[in-house]
Structures are given as structure tokens and as C-alpha cells.
Amino acid sequence: MQLRVSAVQYYLHTIHSFEEFSNQVEHYIKTAEEFGSDFIVFPEFFTTQLMSIGNANGEALTIQELPDFTEQYRFLFTNLAQAYRMHIVGGTHVIRKGDRLYNVAHLFYPDGRVAEQAKLHITPTEVNEWNMSAGDALEVFETEKGKIAMLTCYDIEFPEIVRMAKAKGADVIFCPSCTDDRHGFHRVRYTSHARAIENQVYVVTTGTVGSLPTVDFMRANFGQAAVITPNDIPFPPQGIMVEGEINQDMIVTADLNLELLYQVREKGSVTTWRDRRTDLYPNWETDRLVLS
């Protein structure tokens, strides 16, 4: 089984209408279609660009107002996934359930279905400044190209949750992220490599670039897309299949061969998934007492 993935280094800049947002999104999707991609992934918090549209007084919208765009966001991406016959990981969008805000990754299927995965680990800024709530369930999603999981930014820094995703059958982890400096970027990047090695999976990650001068906590972005592999003979020595130019508006594309994962799990130079010491620590294949 092989799938082609594209990851968008989404360029954040001030806009004045939802139509501008829609046109920018479709530009990237058209590019991925020209490359023949099966999946395209956008970054975390890229819809905060909609906050820069502002209100009647010329002030940026607040995070509490961002969920007001949810219906338009879902309509746009559902239609684009169907029109371009592509699986779209629509980055994350902030939604409201009751009186709570959640940072939610969305998977838009080519047949019109929509799946959600709320971010499970919330950063101090998300809690203290935006009053976000953490999701309480991990899902693995069946697609015609295999099983995937969507773990957002900070999530990838926790090895247990990726163990659980792999135990549930995920071969590809999509990791939309948003980091404002080199420190945050490298935390996500280095742990993405660790998770790929530990679980012998692919990790597809990307981040926001550019800036939103009027939107608090989105004034600085440091991002780079990458397709990360296990470190073994069938893969590139550094575990990087492709990566973008840091902080540039661009898209990267690569082919993922799932059969290579199965081969290295069975008879690779190291077999990290098979060699787990489940006599010493939890076996996530059988012990799913949390987030299942």
C-alpha cells in the first residue's frame, strides 16, 4: 500500500474576508492535486487567520469568536475534499461545545464524511490565555489508504499517546503544529523523530509561517513541514523523507510505502515495536483502560 502526502507550510497574513481565506486554502489543495496527492495536511491554528478579518471597529476578533466560523470552515473543506477527491487533514480549528472551547483536528474524506480529533494535551498558553479544554478520547481513522491518527503539536511530545495510536493500528501519524519560536519547533520536531523510531510509523508534520500582527499569540511563527520515517535501511539515514525550507510559504510532497513499515517491524536492523518489554511496562495492545 502506498499513499502520497502533501504538507502545507501555511502562510499567515492579515485578511479581510472569508473568501480570501478560502482562496488561499484552495490554492494549496490545487497544488497538491497537481502532485497527485492522496492526503494534504494543514497546520494547527491556521484558522486563527480568520480572526484578523476583524470587527466593525477594526479590531481583531477574539478566540471566543473563532468558533463562529465553524460552519463555513466545515462546508468549505467538505466541498474541497469531494471536489478534489482528496483526504484533507484540515489542520485544527477551535470549536465550541457547550461553554467549552476545544482545539480540534478535522479529517475530511473524499466521500463527504468528517471526522474529529480534539487535542489531548493542552499547553499552558492554551489554558491560561485561551481557556481551552483537552479532549478525552483517542481515535484511529480508517481510510482507503490505511489507518491514520491525528495528534496535534504538543500531543506528539507524549510517547504514551502515540503508543496507543500504533496499538490501535495507525501507520501514519499526522501532526499539525503551530510554534512561535525555535524552541517550540524543535520540541515538536525532535519528538516526532522519536515517535517514528519507537513505533516504526511515519509522522507527517507541518506548521504555520508568517504572522498575524493584530492577533494575540499569533504574531510570531516558526514552522517547517517534514515527512519523518523510522531510521532503518529502507528509509533515508536521517529519517527525513522530505522537508520544507524553514518559514517559507510552500508545500512538500512525498510517497509513503506502508509495506516498508511492515518489513522493518518484522526484520529491521532494530524491531522497536516488537521488542517492547511489556513485562516491565504497559502493553497498549491489550491495556486500553484510558482514552479508548
Side-chain angles (χ1 to χ4, degrees):
M1 179 70 75
Q2 185 160 291
L3 58 149
R4 181 166 293 176
V5 298
S6 289
V8 177
Q9 294 182 190
Y10 191 93
Y11 174 57
L12 290 176
H13 61 283
T14 299
I15 58 175
H16 302 93
S17 68
F18 189 87
E19 183 180 11
E20 285 186 59
F21 173 77
S22 174
N23 289 340
Q24 184 174 348
V25 165
E26 189 166 13
H27 151 68
Y28 294 119
I29 293 173
K30 284 181 177 178
T31 303
E33 183 200 33
E34 291 172 357
F35 293 148
S37 295
D38 302 298
F39 286 80
I40 183 172
V41 56
F42 288 83
E44 178 187 27
F45 282 136
F46 82 115
T47 65
T48 55
Q49 186 180 42
L50 297 167
M51 294 163 63
S52 72
I53 294 173
N55 57 26
N57 298 322
E59 302 164 329
L61 303 177
T62 68
I63 198 70
Q64 293 290 333
E65 295 170 287
L66 186 54
D68 295 343
F69 290 98
T70 299
E71 185 175 346
Q72 288 172 279
Y73 161 81
R74 288 172 65 98
F75 182 80
L76 170 65
F77 278 90
T78 299
N79 285 343
L80 289 172
Q82 291 176 300
Y84 290 95
R85 304 299 304 163
M86 196 179 302
H87 297 79
I88 302 174
V89 178
T92 71
H93 176 65
V94 176
I95 68 171
R96 183 182 293 108
K97 291 185 177 180
D99 61 351
R100 294 177 177 269
L101 296 182
Y102 295 89
N103 184 12
V104 178
H106 289 71
L107 173 62
F108 298 89
Y109 286 84
D111 62 8
R113 287 177 292 150
V114 183
E116 297 181 359
Q117 173 65 68
K119 189 173 182 180
L120 299 170
H121 302 84
I122 307 299
T123 65
T125 296
E126 288 174 281
V127 174
N128 299 329
E129 305 297 339
W130 284 351
N131 198 28
M132 293 281 180
S133 297
D136 59 6
L138 169 69
E139 302 290 339
V140 165
F141 304 98
E142 293 269 7
T143 78
E144 62 186 23
K145 295 291 185 176
K147 290 185 178 181
I148 72 157
M150 298 184 294
L151 295 174
T152 298
C153 201
Y154 196 30
D155 285 338
I156 205 74
E157 298 180 30
F158 295 84
E160 296 88 351
I161 202 66
V162 186
R163 283 291 202 209
M164 293 176 68
K166 167 63 185 73
K168 291 187 172 193
D171 288 320
V172 183
I173 309 296
F174 286 97
C175 180
S177 83
C178 173
T179 50
D180 59 3
D181 61 16
R182 292 174 184 267
H183 296 86
F185 165 75
H186 283 105
R187 283 195 300 270
V188 174
R189 182 59 180 270
Y190 291 153
T191 52
S192 292
H193 283 278
R195 305 297 88 86
I197 293 168
E198 291 162 353
N199 299 287
Q200 297 178 296
V201 295
Y202 292 110
V203 177
V204 183
T205 185
T206 194
T208 46
V209 303
S211 66
L212 297 174
T214 64
V215 178
D216 291 344
F217 308 107
M218 295 302 295
R219 291 186 173 87
N221 291 270
F222 193 99
Q224 181 188 41
V227 177
I228 297 167
T229 74
N231 288 68
D232 212 331
I233 294 299
F235 303 107
Q238 293 181 315
I240 303 170
M241 187 165 290
V242 66
E243 62 183 346
E245 298 295 325
I246 289 177
N247 290 335
Q248 297 301 305
D249 176 9
M250 65 183 300
I251 186 170
V252 301
T253 301
D255 289 327
L256 308 186
N257 186 335
L258 301 186
E259 182 60 33
L260 293 180
L261 295 180
Y262 309 148
Q263 290 176 11
V264 298
R265 288 172 193 163
E266 180 61 28
K267 52 183 179 181
S269 301
V270 293
T271 49
T272 47
W273 179 256
R274 190 178 66 197
D275 293 340
R276 290 167 297 142
R277 288 290 305 275
T278 56
D279 57 322
L280 298 177
Y281 44 77
N283 178 5
W284 296 114
E285 290 177 292
T286 57
D287 187 4
R288 299 180 187 174
L289 301 179
V290 183
L291 296 179
S292 58

